[in-house]
Amino acid sequence: MNFKDLANKTLIEDNNIDWNDLGAGVKRKVMPFDDNLMLVKVSFQKGAIGTIHNHPHLQLSYVAKGSFEVTMGDDQKILNEGDVFFAPSNIFHGVVCLEAGLLIDIFNPHREDFL
């Protein structure tokens, strides 16, 4: 399924969407989105890094599996399954995967650079 097929789609079956291998133990799967909202699954192998970065989008991330050392601005904390972090616009943030895991990221507006 290509990205155009996911735009504004209301019912999505996970097994119909391919993972995009980003290398270094990280894979991403873009789920449904519209102009204002996007859900993305990000899979990490133990030791994989989500490099420190920032962007104008609001980001809410749910730790669906595993354990992550999360850096948010000057703060750092270990988050585990069921925990959440919120990245306001333009704040520097990143993760180090301590135990193989999965993040569910929600962005507002959608990340054009992921398409």
Side-chain angles (χ1 to χ4, degrees):
M1 182 175 290
N2 70 40
F3 294 124
K4 289 181 182 180
D5 294 334
L6 294 170
N8 300 303
K9 194 159 176 88
T10 58
L11 300 172
I12 306 292
E13 293 175 303
D14 182 72
N15 60 354
N16 288 336
I17 302 171
D18 295 327
W19 287 97
N20 180 16
D21 190 345
L22 304 177
V26 181
K27 296 188 297 186
R28 177 170 60 211
K29 185 183 283 200
V30 174
M31 301 300 285
F33 66 92
D34 67 10
D35 290 341
N36 298 306
L37 197 61
M38 174 183 268
L39 188 138
V40 178
K41 293 181 178 183
V42 188
S43 175
F44 291 82
Q45 293 176 0
K46 182 178 180 178
I49 297 172
T51 306
I52 299 288
H53 65 286
N54 72 339
H55 44 73
H57 313 80
L58 297 175
Q59 177 179 340
L60 189 63
S61 295
Y62 173 75
V63 180
K65 293 181 188 172
S67 180
F68 294 85
E69 180 182 84
V70 180
T71 299
M72 188 68 56
D74 294 331
D75 296 326
Q76 199 170 65
K77 188 168 191 132
I78 294 175
L79 297 180
N80 300 294
E81 188 172 324
D83 294 336
V84 173
F85 64 89
F86 172 64
S89 295
N90 298 312
I91 191 168
F92 282 92
H93 60 283
V95 300
V96 175
C97 185
L98 304 176
E99 175 186 321
L102 179 71
L103 295 178
I104 307 298
D105 295 338
I106 299 170
F107 297 98
N108 172 269
H110 79 267
R111 295 284 304 261
E112 185 69 33
D113 55 322
F114 284 9
L115 305 177

